[in-house]
């Protein structure tokens, strides 16, 4: 099996989501910065709204209504960062998200903030003129909620990564490829996802499932503090000793619900040499492999993580395989592979340094750090970038019990319907990610991430044909998605992963947050009582 096909980036087409909005939000699936806080305020302090959020321009006190050109000019003058509006030559690129299907979204302005004070200034402007607000980092929101019609606050310029003495401070705009690379220079890491252009903040705020999660926990489990600008413009240094309820909510409560994060503090972990493997089977064994994999991967030693991907193309081609990562020697990984109930038809085992392994998992093996970005000159992009934008639909499940033989057969049958019902030129698949280990040793209510009893997640993905952003081909993709998701209703837990935001999901608050939903509403009432940060699946005020 080739690494290009089996990489999780190819399978999943994206990760976490930075979603934050007011009427309208991922890395993303977003996050970031170097040094202490973007505002320069000391740990455990709060800059008052009067000092931090009131614009220096008199036009900011204007009667509410659509802002005029002079008002936008005054905002631009008050910012240390960059404001791009329609008519600017860079605006067309600035407004785009990762998925081309959302290219029609046209925000009134995009602010690339330079610090927390820029965020506070922009929020004051939005409050004054009653503009919808969307926070953005990687722009991977599956539903497009990191944009909208109002003001987009992009944190990509806050991208520094620093580490010392077991801790790291990461700017809210850092992409995962930059996080892994920056921390590798210190011999450490944090548990995170695999898509290189996903932002660390969106990933963290929604939980953060990744290839070292069974050993180190979710990304949010390593979060120890954050700098957050709340709806009133206060710049808060959040920690276990200050605004502890807000820290609890940031650890899995979903992006964009409580404020705009400008930097994150983490506990770091060792970044050892890894062993990884690609296994494959003929499609005829798909149901059998599902049963064997789910009895193997979620109960393996913590140092091992594995996915299972069942892929299909419109031309009738199928692929069945697993990617395995192990924080240990190749000999031990081979022994673990031997315990898999259904012997693979092909096995390819490798050993590499940690950073190189993460590049393989991201589908960018052999690329430079610069190449593992979207191409462009705006913050978060790179002129040498080689990552391409793609449109797709996705839904998710969390399985707390093994799928029965009947369930495995139903899943395979649903996948096999794609060549008959999906669009010409499209592709689709189902990807399982093993949970358990350190992830499940955290209590369901210890953080806002409630999914602590899962065996594995399932992501159902339908990739649109090249150039398709809507219409019949997109409808046929979603029809297949709805069918495969519906086929699993008798077997899934009813829980869903909040970073795989699903705009079609009914009962989403219970599915994402379960028994933590009521406490999250309480935190929302405390820090955003006016519901400034609002989007279709934002935490309700109550």
């Amino acid at each position: 099996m080739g690494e290009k096909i089996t990489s999780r980036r190819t399978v999943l087409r994206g990760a976490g989501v930075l979603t934050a909005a007011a009427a309208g939000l991922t890395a993303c699936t977003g996050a970031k910065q170097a040094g202490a806080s973007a505002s320069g305020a000391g740990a455990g302090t709060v800059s008052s709204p009067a000092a931090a959020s009131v614009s220096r321009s008199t036009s900011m006190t204007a009667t509410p209504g659509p802002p005029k050109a002079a008002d936008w000019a005054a905002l631009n003058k008050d910012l240390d960062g960059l404001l791009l509006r329609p008519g600017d030559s860079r605006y067309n690129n600035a407004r785009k998200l990762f998925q081309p299907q959302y290219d029609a979204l046209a925000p009134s302005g995009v602010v690339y903030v330079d610090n927390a004070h820029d965020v506070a200034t922009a929020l004051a402007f939005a409050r004054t003129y009653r503009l919808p607000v969307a926070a953005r980092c990687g722009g991977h929101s599956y539903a497009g909620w990191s944009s909208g019609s109002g003001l987009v606050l992009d944190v990509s310029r806050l991208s520094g990564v620093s580490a010392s003495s077991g801790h790291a401070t990461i700017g809210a705009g850092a992409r995962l490829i930059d996080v892994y690379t920056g921390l590798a220079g210190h011999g450490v890491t944090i548990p995170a996802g695999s898509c290189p252009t996903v932002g660390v903040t969106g990933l963290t705020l929604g939980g953060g499932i990744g290839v070292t999660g069974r050993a180190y926990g979710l990304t949010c489990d390593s979060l120890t503090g954050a700098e957050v600008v709340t709806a009133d413009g206060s710049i808060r240094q959040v920690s276990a000793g200050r605004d502890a309820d807000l820290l609890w909510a940031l650890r899995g409560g979903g992006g964009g619900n409580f404020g705009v994060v400008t930097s994150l503090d983490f506990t770091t972990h060792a970044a050892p040499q890894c062993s990884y493997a690609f296994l494959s089977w003929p499609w005829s064994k798909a149901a059998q492999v599902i049963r064997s994999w789910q009895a193997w991967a979620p109960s393996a030693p913590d140092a091992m993580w594995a996915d299972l991907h069942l892929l299909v193309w419109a031309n009738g081609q199928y692929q069945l395989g697993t990617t395995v990562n192990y924080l240990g020697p190749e000999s031990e990984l081979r022994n673990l592979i031997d315990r898999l109930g259904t012997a693979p038809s092909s096995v390819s085992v490798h050993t590499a340094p940690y950073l190189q392994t993460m590049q393989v998992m991201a589908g960018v093996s052999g690329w430079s750090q610069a190449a593992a970005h979207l191409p462009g000159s705006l913050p978060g992009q790179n002129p040498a970038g080689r990552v391409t934008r793609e449109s797709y639909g996705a839904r998710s499940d969390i399985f707390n019990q093994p799928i029965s033989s009947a369930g495995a057969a139903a899943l395979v049958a649903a996948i096999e319907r794609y060549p008959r019902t999906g669009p010409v030129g499209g592709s689709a698949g189902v990807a399982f990610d093993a949970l358990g280990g350190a992830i499940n040793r955290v209590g369901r209510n210890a953080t806002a991430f409630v999914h602590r009893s899962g065996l594995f997640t399932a992501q159902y993905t339908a990739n649109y044909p090249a150039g398709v952003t809507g219409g019949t081909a997109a409808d046929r993709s979603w029809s297949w998605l709805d069918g495969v998701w519906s086929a699993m209703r008798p077997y899934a837990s009813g829980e869903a992963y909040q970073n795989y935001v699903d705009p079609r999901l009914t009962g989403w608050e219970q599915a994402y947050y379960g028994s933590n939903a009521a406490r999250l509403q309480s935190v929302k009432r405390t820090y955003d009582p006016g519901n400034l940060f609002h989007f279709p699946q934002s935490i309700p005020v109550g």
Side-chain angles (χ1 to χ4, degrees):
M1 275 174 102
E3 294 177 10
K4 181 177 180 181
I5 294 178
T6 59
S7 75
R8 296 184 71 250
R9 175 177 170 267
T10 303
V11 174
L12 301 183
R13 305 292 187 185
V17 184
L18 174 59
T19 50
L25 130 335
T26 37
C28 112
T29 92
K32 334 71 175 220
Q33 153 180 354
S37 67
S39 69
T45 65
V46 179
S47 296
S48 71
S53 67
V54 178
S55 167
R56 294 182 295 273
S57 92
T58 56
S59 69
M60 293 295 231
T61 62
T63 301
K68 299 179 175 61
D71 303 316
W72 286 106
L75 172 63
N76 188 44
K77 182 179 179 181
D78 286 342
L79 295 169
D80 294 322
L82 175 67
L83 171 64
L84 297 179
R85 299 201 62 238
D88 189 290
S89 61
R90 296 164 292 180
Y91 171 79
N92 190 51
N93 285 331
R95 67 183 177 84
K96 292 179 180 178
L97 303 179
F98 184 80
Q99 294 199 49
Q101 66 175 306
Y102 301 120
D103 280 358
L105 294 173
S108 300
V110 178
V111 177
Y112 289 95
V113 299
D114 243 8
N115 47 53
H117 289 287
D118 273 358
V119 174
T121 297
L123 291 180
F125 187 86
R127 291 194 308 271
T128 297
Y129 296 106
R130 300 178 183 177
L131 294 175
V133 175
R136 186 180 74 184
C137 178
H140 280 264
S141 170
Y142 283 8
W145 293 335
S146 48
S147 186
S149 62
L151 194 61
V152 172
L153 306 186
D154 190 296
V155 296
S156 296
R157 297 179 82 157
L158 310 179
S159 58
V161 178
S162 64
S164 65
S165 304
H167 299 278
T169 297
I170 301 177
R175 306 303 197 257
L176 293 188
I177 188 63
D178 302 317
V179 172
Y180 282 130
T181 303
L183 294 180
H186 299 276
V188 297
T189 192
I190 60 171
S194 56
C195 181
T197 60
V198 161
V200 68
T201 297
L203 178 74
T204 303
L205 300 186
I209 294 171
V211 299
T212 60
R214 301 189 70 255
Y216 295 149
L218 303 169
T219 312
C220 72
D221 294 337
S222 292
L223 182 69
T224 60
E227 182 176 75
V228 185
V229 185
T230 47
D232 63 355
S234 295
I235 300 171
R236 299 175 182 270
Q237 308 300 321
V238 177
S239 67
R242 182 91 185 203
D243 293 313
D245 54 343
L246 181 54
L247 178 63
W248 175 87
L250 296 178
R251 300 176 76 188
N257 283 301
F258 312 104
V260 179
V261 175
T262 53
S263 70
L264 300 167
D265 296 323
F266 293 97
T267 296
T268 58
H269 305 267
Q273 181 161 280
C274 299
S275 303
Y276 61 92
F278 303 106
L279 318 179
S280 66
W281 296 263
W283 183 256
S284 60
K285 292 189 175 182
Q288 179 182 345
V289 170
I290 290 171
R291 296 193 299 272
S292 296
W293 181 91
Q294 66 184 353
W296 172 71
S299 59
D302 292 359
M304 195 196 91
W305 165 90
D307 72 357
L308 178 66
H309 46 267
L310 302 95
L311 309 181
V312 59
W313 284 260
N315 64 4
Q317 176 187 354
Y318 296 91
Q319 185 182 93
L320 173 64
T322 179
T323 301
V324 189
N325 187 59
Y326 184 65
L327 303 180
E330 183 177 320
S331 59
E332 293 180 5
L333 176 56
R334 289 185 180 276
N335 287 338
L336 290 169
I337 293 171
D338 288 342
R339 300 178 191 175
L340 183 54
T342 303
S345 57
S346 85
V347 178
S348 175
V349 183
H350 309 264
T351 300
Y354 188 89
L355 177 58
Q356 183 178 332
T357 301
M358 294 303 104
Q359 292 168 334
V360 170
M361 297 294 116
V364 295
S365 179
W367 293 18
S368 67
Q369 180 182 356
H373 290 80
L374 287 168
S377 58
L378 290 169
Q381 301 174 346
N382 193 289
R386 293 173 55 187
V387 175
T388 57
R389 299 168 68 228
E390 300 161 314
S391 293
Y392 49 87
R395 308 200 70 173
S396 76
D397 270 318
I398 294 176
F399 287 85
N400 295 339
Q401 300 292 332
I403 301 175
S404 66
S405 295
L411 179 59
V412 173
I415 294 170
E416 290 177 344
R417 286 193 287 271
Y418 185 82
R420 301 191 302 275
T421 63
V424 174
S427 62
V430 178
F432 295 162
D433 277 332
L435 300 175
I439 295 172
N440 288 16
R441 286 195 291 272
V442 177
R444 290 173 64 86
N445 307 123
T447 70
F449 190 90
V450 75
H451 314 297
R452 301 293 184 167
S453 302
L455 295 178
F456 52 91
T457 62
Q459 183 171 194
Y460 316 103
T461 306
N463 305 305
Y464 297 178
V468 169
T469 58
T472 301
D475 291 342
R476 294 180 70 177
S477 297
W478 272 101
S479 179
W480 176 84
L481 272 175
D482 291 341
V484 69
W485 182 85
S486 296
M488 290 294 99
R489 290 313 85 218
Y491 313 103
S493 67
E495 299 178 29
Y497 181 31
Q498 52 267 41
N499 266 347
Y500 298 158
V501 63
D502 181 351
R504 298 192 175 201
L505 185 62
T506 58
W508 57 267
E509 190 177 9
Q510 183 64 28
Y512 294 156
Y513 305 116
S515 59
N516 289 332
R519 184 176 175 186
L520 285 167
Q521 288 188 23
S522 176
V523 176
K524 179 74 168 180
R525 287 192 294 271
T526 299
Y527 294 96
D528 185 19
N531 206 22
L532 176 66
F533 301 108
H534 174 77
F535 53 97
Q537 291 182 357
S538 58
I539 300 294
V541 175

